[in-house]
Amino acid sequence: MTSIIIGRDDADVRRQVAAAGRAPAELQAKGFLIGTPAELVEQLGRLAELGARRVMWQRFDLDDTDTLELMAYTVLPQL
């Protein structure tokens, strides 16, 4: 299972990482996928190349429908 931070653009990603209160490298070391939709497609593609067939994605903010929609409409169709 992995957590994600996805933003519509680099500024949105930076804002969300700042809100998490940790450095991007620290979050990534804990298994977070972080980036724009295109960057998440690349990261998920690398996982697939390593043999991953499924990725369980964890979100703690259950009211955050923007992230769900961003994943559903911009990332998942490209996988």
Short mmCIF file of all heavy atoms in Angstrom, two decimals, residues 13-53:
data_model
loop_
_atom_site.label_atom_id
_atom_site.label_comp_id
_atom_site.label_asym_id
_atom_site.label_seq_id
_atom_site.Cartn_x
_atom_site.Cartn_y
_atom_site.Cartn_z
N VAL A 13 1.62 20.62 -6.27
CA VAL A 13 2.36 19.54 -5.60
C VAL A 13 3.16 20.13 -4.44
O VAL A 13 3.12 19.60 -3.32
CB VAL A 13 3.29 18.80 -6.58
CG1 VAL A 13 4.20 17.82 -5.84
CG2 VAL A 13 2.49 18.08 -7.65
N ARG A 14 3.87 21.23 -4.66
CA ARG A 14 4.66 21.86 -3.59
C ARG A 14 3.78 22.27 -2.43
O ARG A 14 4.13 22.08 -1.27
CB ARG A 14 5.43 23.07 -4.13
CG ARG A 14 6.64 22.70 -4.96
CD ARG A 14 7.52 23.90 -5.24
NE ARG A 14 6.83 24.95 -5.96
CZ ARG A 14 6.72 25.03 -7.28
NH1 ARG A 14 7.26 24.09 -8.05
NH2 ARG A 14 6.09 26.03 -7.85
N ARG A 15 2.60 22.80 -2.72
CA ARG A 15 1.67 23.23 -1.66
C ARG A 15 1.24 22.03 -0.82
O ARG A 15 1.23 22.09 0.40
CB ARG A 15 0.45 23.91 -2.28
CG ARG A 15 -0.58 24.40 -1.26
CD ARG A 15 -1.85 24.89 -1.93
NE ARG A 15 -2.53 23.88 -2.72
CZ ARG A 15 -3.24 22.86 -2.22
NH1 ARG A 15 -3.36 22.70 -0.93
NH2 ARG A 15 -3.83 21.99 -3.02
N GLN A 16 0.93 20.94 -1.49
CA GLN A 16 0.47 19.75 -0.77
C GLN A 16 1.60 19.10 0.04
O GLN A 16 1.37 18.61 1.14
CB GLN A 16 -0.15 18.75 -1.74
CG GLN A 16 -1.46 19.25 -2.29
CD GLN A 16 -2.18 18.17 -3.05
OE1 GLN A 16 -2.35 17.08 -2.54
NE2 GLN A 16 -2.60 18.49 -4.26
N VAL A 17 2.80 19.09 -0.50
CA VAL A 17 3.95 18.55 0.24
C VAL A 17 4.19 19.41 1.48
O VAL A 17 4.41 18.88 2.57
CB VAL A 17 5.21 18.47 -0.65
CG1 VAL A 17 6.45 18.20 0.18
CG2 VAL A 17 5.04 17.39 -1.71
N ALA A 18 4.12 20.72 1.32
CA ALA A 18 4.31 21.61 2.47
C ALA A 18 3.24 21.36 3.53
O ALA A 18 3.54 21.36 4.72
CB ALA A 18 4.28 23.07 2.01
N ALA A 19 2.02 21.11 3.10
CA ALA A 19 0.93 20.84 4.04
C ALA A 19 1.17 19.53 4.79
O ALA A 19 0.72 19.38 5.93
CB ALA A 19 -0.40 20.78 3.30
N ALA A 20 1.90 18.59 4.17
CA ALA A 20 2.21 17.33 4.84
C ALA A 20 3.24 17.52 5.94
O ALA A 20 3.38 16.67 6.81
CB ALA A 20 2.69 16.30 3.82
N GLY A 21 3.98 18.64 5.87
CA GLY A 21 4.93 18.96 6.93
C GLY A 21 6.22 18.18 6.93
O GLY A 21 6.93 18.15 7.92
N ARG A 22 6.52 17.55 5.80
CA ARG A 22 7.76 16.77 5.70
C ARG A 22 8.42 17.06 4.36
O ARG A 22 7.76 17.45 3.41
CB ARG A 22 7.46 15.28 5.81
CG ARG A 22 6.85 14.94 7.15
CD ARG A 22 7.17 13.53 7.53
NE ARG A 22 6.76 13.34 8.91
CZ ARG A 22 6.02 12.34 9.31
NH1 ARG A 22 5.60 11.45 8.44
NH2 ARG A 22 5.73 12.21 10.58
N ALA A 23 9.69 16.80 4.28
CA ALA A 23 10.43 16.99 3.03
C ALA A 23 10.01 15.92 2.03
O ALA A 23 9.73 14.78 2.41
CB ALA A 23 11.93 16.91 3.29
N PRO A 24 9.98 16.28 0.73
CA PRO A 24 9.61 15.28 -0.29
C PRO A 24 10.45 14.01 -0.21
O PRO A 24 9.91 12.90 -0.31
CB PRO A 24 9.84 16.02 -1.61
CG PRO A 24 9.72 17.45 -1.27
CD PRO A 24 10.24 17.58 0.13
N ALA A 25 11.75 14.14 0.00
CA ALA A 25 12.62 12.95 0.07
C ALA A 25 12.23 12.05 1.24
O ALA A 25 12.27 10.82 1.12
CB ALA A 25 14.08 13.37 0.18
N GLU A 26 11.84 12.64 2.35
CA GLU A 26 11.42 11.85 3.51
C GLU A 26 10.13 11.09 3.20
O GLU A 26 10.00 9.91 3.53
CB GLU A 26 11.21 12.76 4.71
CG GLU A 26 10.79 12.04 5.97
CD GLU A 26 10.53 12.96 7.13
OE1 GLU A 26 10.83 14.16 7.04
OE2 GLU A 26 10.01 12.46 8.14
N LEU A 27 9.19 11.76 2.55
CA LEU A 27 7.94 11.11 2.18
C LEU A 27 8.19 9.99 1.17
O LEU A 27 7.63 8.89 1.28
CB LEU A 27 6.96 12.13 1.62
CG LEU A 27 6.47 13.19 2.60
CD1 LEU A 27 5.71 14.29 1.88
CD2 LEU A 27 5.60 12.56 3.69
N GLN A 28 9.02 10.25 0.18
CA GLN A 28 9.32 9.23 -0.83
C GLN A 28 10.03 8.03 -0.21
O GLN A 28 9.78 6.89 -0.60
CB GLN A 28 10.13 9.84 -1.97
CG GLN A 28 9.29 10.78 -2.81
CD GLN A 28 10.11 11.62 -3.77
OE1 GLN A 28 11.22 12.03 -3.44
NE2 GLN A 28 9.54 11.89 -4.93
N ALA A 29 10.89 8.28 0.78
CA ALA A 29 11.57 7.18 1.47
C ALA A 29 10.57 6.30 2.21
O ALA A 29 10.82 5.12 2.44
CB ALA A 29 12.62 7.73 2.43
N LYS A 30 9.43 6.87 2.57
CA LYS A 30 8.38 6.12 3.25
C LYS A 30 7.42 5.46 2.25
O LYS A 30 6.41 4.89 2.64
CB LYS A 30 7.60 7.02 4.19
CG LYS A 30 8.42 7.50 5.37
CD LYS A 30 7.61 8.41 6.26
CE LYS A 30 8.45 8.90 7.41
NZ LYS A 30 8.32 8.08 8.60
N GLY A 31 7.70 5.63 0.95
CA GLY A 31 6.90 4.97 -0.08
C GLY A 31 5.86 5.83 -0.76
O GLY A 31 5.11 5.35 -1.58
N PHE A 32 5.82 7.12 -0.43
CA PHE A 32 4.87 8.01 -1.08
C PHE A 32 5.21 8.16 -2.56
O PHE A 32 6.38 8.21 -2.93
CB PHE A 32 4.92 9.41 -0.46
CG PHE A 32 4.12 9.60 0.78
CD1 PHE A 32 4.45 8.95 1.95
CD2 PHE A 32 3.03 10.47 0.78
CE1 PHE A 32 3.72 9.14 3.11
CE2 PHE A 32 2.29 10.66 1.93
CZ PHE A 32 2.63 9.99 3.10
N LEU A 33 4.19 8.24 -3.39
CA LEU A 33 4.34 8.66 -4.78
C LEU A 33 3.93 10.11 -4.80
O LEU A 33 2.86 10.47 -4.30
CB LEU A 33 3.44 7.83 -5.70
CG LEU A 33 3.67 6.32 -5.69
CD1 LEU A 33 2.70 5.64 -6.65
CD2 LEU A 33 5.10 5.97 -6.04
N ILE A 34 4.78 10.97 -5.36
CA ILE A 34 4.56 12.41 -5.31
C ILE A 34 4.76 12.99 -6.69
O ILE A 34 5.77 12.74 -7.34
CB ILE A 34 5.54 13.09 -4.33
CG1 ILE A 34 5.39 12.50 -2.92
CG2 ILE A 34 5.35 14.60 -4.32
CD1 ILE A 34 6.45 12.97 -1.95
N GLY A 35 3.80 13.83 -7.14
CA GLY A 35 4.00 14.53 -8.39
C GLY A 35 2.72 14.95 -9.08
O GLY A 35 1.62 14.84 -8.53
N THR A 36 2.90 15.40 -10.29
CA THR A 36 1.79 15.77 -11.16
C THR A 36 1.22 14.48 -11.75
O THR A 36 1.83 13.42 -11.62
CB THR A 36 2.28 16.68 -12.30
OG1 THR A 36 3.22 15.93 -13.08
CG2 THR A 36 2.90 17.97 -11.79
N PRO A 37 0.08 14.55 -12.43
CA PRO A 37 -0.45 13.34 -13.06
C PRO A 37 0.58 12.64 -13.96
O PRO A 37 0.74 11.42 -13.88
CB PRO A 37 -1.66 13.85 -13.84
CG PRO A 37 -2.15 15.00 -13.02
CD PRO A 37 -0.87 15.67 -12.55
N ALA A 38 1.28 13.39 -14.79
CA ALA A 38 2.27 12.78 -15.68
C ALA A 38 3.38 12.10 -14.89
O ALA A 38 3.84 11.01 -15.25
CB ALA A 38 2.87 13.83 -16.62
N GLU A 39 3.81 12.72 -13.80
CA GLU A 39 4.86 12.13 -12.98
C GLU A 39 4.38 10.86 -12.28
O GLU A 39 5.13 9.89 -12.16
CB GLU A 39 5.37 13.16 -11.96
CG GLU A 39 6.13 14.29 -12.63
CD GLU A 39 6.38 15.48 -11.73
OE1 GLU A 39 5.62 15.70 -10.75
OE2 GLU A 39 7.35 16.21 -12.01
N LEU A 40 3.14 10.86 -11.84
CA LEU A 40 2.60 9.65 -11.20
C LEU A 40 2.45 8.52 -12.22
O LEU A 40 2.72 7.36 -11.89
CB LEU A 40 1.28 9.93 -10.50
CG LEU A 40 1.45 10.10 -8.98
CD1 LEU A 40 2.29 11.28 -8.62
CD2 LEU A 40 0.14 10.11 -8.30
N VAL A 41 2.07 8.84 -13.45
CA VAL A 41 2.00 7.81 -14.50
C VAL A 41 3.39 7.19 -14.68
O VAL A 41 3.52 5.97 -14.78
CB VAL A 41 1.46 8.40 -15.82
CG1 VAL A 41 1.66 7.44 -16.98
CG2 VAL A 41 -0.01 8.77 -15.67
N GLU A 42 4.44 8.02 -14.71
CA GLU A 42 5.81 7.52 -14.85
C GLU A 42 6.19 6.63 -13.67
O GLU A 42 6.75 5.55 -13.86
CB GLU A 42 6.80 8.67 -14.96
CG GLU A 42 6.77 9.40 -16.27
CD GLU A 42 7.77 10.55 -16.29
OE1 GLU A 42 8.77 10.51 -15.54
OE2 GLU A 42 7.54 11.50 -17.05
N GLN A 43 5.89 7.09 -12.46
CA GLN A 43 6.25 6.33 -11.26
C GLN A 43 5.52 4.99 -11.22
O GLN A 43 6.11 3.96 -10.90
CB GLN A 43 5.94 7.15 -10.01
CG GLN A 43 6.85 8.36 -9.85
CD GLN A 43 6.40 9.27 -8.73
OE1 GLN A 43 6.11 8.82 -7.62
NE2 GLN A 43 6.33 10.57 -9.00
N LEU A 44 4.24 5.01 -11.54
CA LEU A 44 3.47 3.77 -11.56
C LEU A 44 3.96 2.84 -12.68
O LEU A 44 3.97 1.62 -12.53
CB LEU A 44 1.99 4.07 -11.69
CG LEU A 44 1.36 4.70 -10.44
CD1 LEU A 44 0.00 5.30 -10.77
CD2 LEU A 44 1.27 3.71 -9.31
N GLY A 45 4.36 3.43 -13.79
CA GLY A 45 4.93 2.64 -14.89
C GLY A 45 6.22 1.94 -14.47
O GLY A 45 6.44 0.78 -14.83
N ARG A 46 7.05 2.63 -13.70
CA ARG A 46 8.28 2.00 -13.20
C ARG A 46 7.95 0.83 -12.28
O ARG A 46 8.60 -0.21 -12.32
CB ARG A 46 9.16 3.03 -12.50
CG ARG A 46 9.91 3.94 -13.47
CD ARG A 46 11.04 4.69 -12.80
NE ARG A 46 10.60 5.61 -11.77
CZ ARG A 46 10.20 6.86 -11.98
NH1 ARG A 46 10.16 7.35 -13.21
NH2 ARG A 46 9.85 7.63 -10.98
N LEU A 47 6.94 1.00 -11.44
CA LEU A 47 6.52 -0.11 -10.57
C LEU A 47 6.05 -1.30 -11.40
O LEU A 47 6.36 -2.45 -11.09
CB LEU A 47 5.42 0.34 -9.61
CG LEU A 47 5.84 1.31 -8.50
CD1 LEU A 47 4.63 1.77 -7.70
CD2 LEU A 47 6.87 0.67 -7.59
N ALA A 48 5.31 -1.02 -12.47
CA ALA A 48 4.84 -2.10 -13.35
C ALA A 48 6.02 -2.80 -14.01
O ALA A 48 6.03 -4.03 -14.13
CB ALA A 48 3.89 -1.54 -14.41
N GLU A 49 7.04 -2.04 -14.43
CA GLU A 49 8.22 -2.64 -15.04
C GLU A 49 8.95 -3.56 -14.06
O GLU A 49 9.58 -4.54 -14.46
CB GLU A 49 9.19 -1.56 -15.52
CG GLU A 49 8.69 -0.80 -16.73
CD GLU A 49 9.54 0.41 -17.06
OE1 GLU A 49 10.57 0.65 -16.37
OE2 GLU A 49 9.18 1.13 -18.00
N LEU A 50 8.83 -3.25 -12.78
CA LEU A 50 9.46 -4.08 -11.75
C LEU A 50 8.60 -5.29 -11.38
O LEU A 50 8.99 -6.11 -10.56
CB LEU A 50 9.74 -3.25 -10.50
CG LEU A 50 10.79 -2.16 -10.66
CD1 LEU A 50 10.82 -1.25 -9.44
CD2 LEU A 50 12.16 -2.78 -10.91
N GLY A 51 7.42 -5.38 -12.00
CA GLY A 51 6.57 -6.55 -11.78
C GLY A 51 5.31 -6.31 -10.98
O GLY A 51 4.53 -7.24 -10.78
N ALA A 52 5.09 -5.09 -10.53
CA ALA A 52 3.86 -4.81 -9.77
C ALA A 52 2.65 -4.93 -10.69
O ALA A 52 2.65 -4.40 -11.80
CB ALA A 52 3.90 -3.41 -9.15
N ARG A 53 1.66 -5.63 -10.23
CA ARG A 53 0.43 -5.77 -11.02
C ARG A 53 -0.69 -4.94 -10.42
O ARG A 53 -1.68 -4.66 -11.08
CB ARG A 53 0.03 -7.23 -11.10
CG ARG A 53 1.06 -8.05 -11.88
CD ARG A 53 0.65 -9.48 -11.98
NE ARG A 53 -0.71 -9.62 -12.44
CZ ARG A 53 -1.07 -10.09 -13.62
NH1 ARG A 53 -0.14 -10.46 -14.46
NH2 ARG A 53 -2.33 -10.21 -13.95
#
